[in-house]
Amino acid sequence: VILVICMVIGLLSGCTGKTTDSEKGSATTSTTANENKTTEAASAKDKEETKEKKEISITVLDRGLVSAEEGTLESNRWTEWINENSPVKVKWVPVTRTESRAKINALFASGEAPDLVWEYGKSFMDDLLQQGVIQPVDEYIEQYSSSYKAYLEEHSDLKPYLTAEDGKMYAFTSARTPLQVANHAMWIRQDWLDKLNLKTPTTIDELYEAAKKFTTEDPDGNGQDDTYGLGFNYNFWGITKNLFGRPSDNNMIVENDVLSDWLGSEAYADCFTLLRKMYSEGIIDQEFVTDTNYERQRQLLVTGKTGIYMAGWDMGNEWRELKQNVPEAYWVPLEPVETKYGKFGLFQEPSPFMTICMNKDAKDPEACIQFLDWVLSEGWYTITYGFEGEHYQLVDGIPQTIDADMNQKELRYAYEYAILLDREIDDIDKFIQVTAAQDELSQEYAKVRALSLKTALKNPFRRDLKYLPSTETSTKFNSEFSPTLSSIEMKMITDSSYSVEQGIKDIEREKEALGFDAVMKERQEWYDRNKDILK
């Protein structure tokens, strides 16, 4: 009996699957190794989490869009999200949109400029380069970048806008979609046209007549003299000049490969003669002179007191506020009107989006590249559209707004942080319709927005010269002449004792004093050397 019991016990121990001594040793070794690896991984993770991220600083344009509930441009839900998800921490340095270049120049002058500064246009880079405050970025891209390096290879057409005369690149950028190429636009109250039996203006004379009647014939029907024919934001100066054929924002006309200046021309004189007339007749609000941030102009618009508005093509926030305040308002995009000089498209942006430059004193160029790679490859999407299920839901792969009012408060300022974007849109009309929230007001505006985009892009914008040379002579002239020009132009419009003819004489005198002949000689020689590329 004892023998049988012993045999049964032996068989049972064999059936339990217990390892032999050699297998046991192997298993013990494997378990120990796995435990060690787990411990090492946990330790590495702890070290990574406790390790302080590198910090960089970047400018951000302050357009006054952050509500008190959201915080400030320096600290809000999106800056926190960026610092949690980006490989580096970012300190954001706000600069007022309407004074951005002057503010950035002041930051450099005081030695307080951040690591990365950005604005729009190649001239921004050229100005900083002439000041000697930025550095080339080619080597940093080659050494540290993966995402941006690959992106730039796929978008080689961007490189001329980033490259200086010495052949080196001094900036970063990404390509615009049609949503960003379209820029300036005009809007008009169709319901006011209908009430006063006016047709949609197609010429500059018809535009003036409509604006005058909007001012004098009480289109809102309240029996008070409180409406204005023409309102605007900071795009006003460019729009009015472009209607009279100004080529781009550098004023350079190119005819038969010869450069000349649009400023002081007959068309320029006619432009300011009209603006002066509209101001003196009260068609333009007299207080616009002190309305430096154009907030009063905006309030007049959204409360239903403005008939024609010169601004941007996508005015969703203002359109929504106007409809909420004045439900009967019917605000539609207006195609550029014709002058005796022809019909010209309003300002459309060149392909490059934001022009981002690196401070020559940037403490950690590698960290800057790490952030740019991250925002281009993944960060921009969330910064632009928010969180899925909260700010948007995907419909056919397109982020559709869930609550327009919530996004207006929580999201509309966030895109300022997405300084690089890798976005392509195949079907613009579908994109605009799907991304809009499903409430009635949002769907109504989606149709208006799509029409506005088509209207803004319908007429080609005149751009005789893509950009100016990045030379000390040209840059110095621009920086010194621009403030004087702005002052003279304002005076021509608002000062009844100062004629347009006198203003043009003063402009020519100032140009001569600043050496404009030498500037034009240099620009012509530069154009002759580079005209094949520039064309």
Side-chain angles (χ1 to χ4, degrees):
V1 174
I2 294 171
L3 178 61
V4 172
I5 293 172
C6 288
M7 289 175 66
V8 172
I9 293 172
L11 288 170
L12 289 173
S13 65
C15 292
T16 59
K18 289 185 179 177
T19 59
T20 62
D21 286 344
S22 61
E23 290 173 336
K24 189 175 184 180
S26 175
T28 302
T29 302
S30 177
T31 301
T32 304
N34 287 336
E35 288 175 349
N36 288 341
K37 287 181 180 178
T38 302
T39 302
E40 289 172 6
S43 177
K45 185 179 180 181
D46 289 342
K47 287 180 180 178
E48 184 65 29
E49 289 178 349
T50 56
K51 181 181 177 183
E52 185 118 6
K53 288 182 179 180
K54 295 179 179 179
E55 182 175 305
I56 64 173
S57 52
I58 309 175
T59 55
V60 58
L61 296 186
D62 185 354
R63 304 176 195 265
L65 299 179
V66 186
S67 66
E69 300 170 68
E70 287 292 289
T72 65
L73 271 178
E74 301 98 310
S75 178
N76 53 66
R77 70 179 70 224
W78 300 110
T79 59
E80 290 177 7
W81 182 86
I82 289 169
N83 286 340
E84 289 173 3
N85 292 273
S86 164
V88 301
K89 289 181 66 176
V90 181
K91 175 185 177 183
W92 297 95
V93 180
V95 291
T96 306
R97 174 66 188 104
T98 54
E99 303 174 326
S100 53
R101 294 201 182 190
K103 295 292 185 182
I104 290 171
N105 286 338
L107 287 171
F108 274 113
S110 64
E112 297 177 355
D115 300 312
L116 297 174
V117 297
W118 65 268
E119 234 273 7
Y120 300 97
K122 186 175 184 291
S123 62
F124 172 69
M125 179 192 85
D126 292 338
D127 289 347
L128 296 180
L129 180 59
Q130 290 303 322
Q131 296 175 43
V133 295
I134 58 175
Q135 58 177 312
V137 297
D138 312 65
E139 292 184 7
Y140 298 138
I141 295 172
E142 185 64 33
Q143 185 175 358
Y144 302 126
S145 177
S146 55
S147 299
Y148 186 75
K149 180 180 178 182
Y151 180 87
L152 200 57
E153 289 172 357
E154 295 175 6
H155 297 80
S156 57
D157 59 305
L158 298 174
K159 290 184 179 180
Y161 293 92
L162 310 174
T163 306
E165 293 279 291
D166 61 7
K168 297 178 181 179
M169 289 196 302
Y170 285 83
F172 310 87
T173 194
S174 53
R176 297 174 184 269
T177 69
L179 297 174
Q180 287 92 37
V181 170
N183 194 312
H184 292 178
M186 298 195 300
W187 298 80
I188 194 165
R189 286 283 297 272
Q190 181 65 49
D191 56 313
W192 283 10
L193 287 174
D194 296 341
K195 182 174 182 178
L196 300 178
N197 295 315
L198 299 171
K199 68 176 185 176
T200 300
T202 59
T203 68
I204 196 69
D205 291 337
E206 291 173 355
L207 184 77
Y208 164 75
E209 288 300 328
K212 185 172 183 179
K213 290 185 177 181
F214 287 167
T215 305
T216 61
E217 297 193 9
D218 191 27
D220 62 353
N222 68 353
Q224 299 180 33
D225 182 15
D226 59 353
T227 56
Y228 296 93
L230 183 64
F232 40 81
N233 69 4
Y234 52 84
N235 292 333
F236 164 65
W237 302 96
I239 290 173
T240 51
K241 291 176 181 179
N242 293 149
L243 289 175
F244 285 84
R246 181 184 74 154
S248 190
D249 55 354
N250 55 46
N251 302 306
M252 288 290 99
I253 297 173
V254 181
E255 293 180 345
N256 299 318
D257 289 335
V258 176
L259 272 62
S260 61
D261 188 15
W262 181 80
L263 288 179
S265 66
E266 181 185 352
Y268 179 82
D270 285 349
C271 173
F272 278 87
T273 298
L274 175 63
L275 293 177
R276 178 187 181 87
K277 183 178 182 181
M278 295 176 89
Y279 177 81
S280 67
E281 294 178 353
I283 294 171
I284 296 174
D285 174 28
Q286 304 285 301
E287 294 184 36
F288 97 92
V289 179
T290 56
D291 186 21
T292 55
N293 62 358
Y294 300 94
E295 182 57 30
R296 173 174 163 80
Q297 291 290 305
R298 184 182 186 280
Q299 286 303 311
L300 289 171
L301 172 71
V302 300
T303 54
K305 300 302 179 184
T306 304
I308 300 166
Y309 200 70
M310 295 180 170
W313 76 271
D314 189 358
M315 300 293 289
N317 295 327
E318 287 77 7
W319 186 90
R320 195 176 187 87
E321 286 187 50
L322 173 61
K323 292 294 286 187
Q324 290 169 339
N325 292 329
V326 190
E328 69 274 15
Y330 186 26
W331 193 30
V332 296
L334 176 65
E335 197 173 332
V337 296
E338 186 174 5
T339 68
K340 69 180 182 182
Y341 304 99
K343 184 176 181 178
F344 303 94
L346 301 183
F347 182 71
Q348 297 164 15
E349 297 283 1
S351 178
F353 200 13
M354 301 170 182
T355 300
I356 308 155
C357 299
M358 187 182 293
N359 190 333
K360 69 178 180 61
D361 297 324
K363 297 180 287 296
D364 195 334
E366 181 180 3
C368 293
I369 298 295
Q370 287 175 337
F371 176 78
L372 294 174
D373 266 14
W374 172 80
V375 78
L376 178 70
S377 62
E378 54 183 297
W380 73 269
Y381 192 91
T382 300
I383 298 171
T384 303
Y385 298 118
F387 302 123
E388 186 175 4
E390 184 178 342
H391 298 98
Y392 72 88
Q393 58 188 2
L394 285 177
V395 177
D396 295 335
I398 298 173
Q400 182 181 84
T401 298
I402 295 174
D403 185 329
D405 289 330
M406 184 178 78
N407 282 14
Q408 182 174 349
K409 183 182 76 172
E410 296 184 0
L411 195 62
R412 66 173 178 162
Y413 65 88
Y415 74 93
E416 300 287 357
Y417 306 114
I419 58 177
L420 291 176
L421 302 92
D422 189 4
R423 175 165 62 177
E424 294 183 3
I425 302 173
D426 297 325
D427 187 333
I428 291 291
D429 284 347
K430 180 179 179 181
F431 180 86
I432 289 176
Q433 199 67 43
V434 172
T435 52
Q438 295 303 291
D439 64 273
E440 184 178 350
L441 207 56
S442 295
Q443 286 297 302
E444 183 182 349
Y445 179 65
K447 295 174 183 177
V448 176
R449 186 177 184 230
L451 177 61
S452 179
L453 181 62
K454 289 179 181 178
T455 304
L457 296 176
K458 182 178 179 181
N459 298 280
F461 173 61
R462 180 181 179 183
R463 182 175 279 112
D464 289 15
L465 197 59
K466 292 180 180 178
Y467 47 79
L468 294 174
S470 56
T471 64
E472 183 177 356
T473 304
S474 187
T475 303
K476 184 173 184 291
F477 172 82
N478 288 338
S479 62
E480 293 179 350
F481 178 61
S482 182
T484 302
L485 176 64
S486 296
S487 175
I488 292 174
E489 288 181 342
M490 183 67 82
K491 195 174 179 181
M492 284 192 293
I493 295 174
T494 61
D495 189 342
S496 60
S497 65
Y498 187 77
S499 67
V500 172
E501 292 74 19
Q502 184 59 50
I504 291 175
K505 288 179 182 178
D506 289 344
I507 288 171
E508 294 301 323
R509 186 180 300 111
E510 183 68 16
K511 285 162 61 176
E512 182 180 356
L514 294 174
F516 189 62
D517 287 345
V519 171
M520 287 300 292
K521 181 175 183 296
E522 181 185 72
R523 289 179 181 176
Q524 184 67 56
E525 292 173 350
W526 167 79
Y527 175 82
D528 292 339
R529 293 194 306 270
N530 298 283
K531 59 185 175 182
D532 292 337
I533 298 173
L534 293 168
K535 288 181 180 179

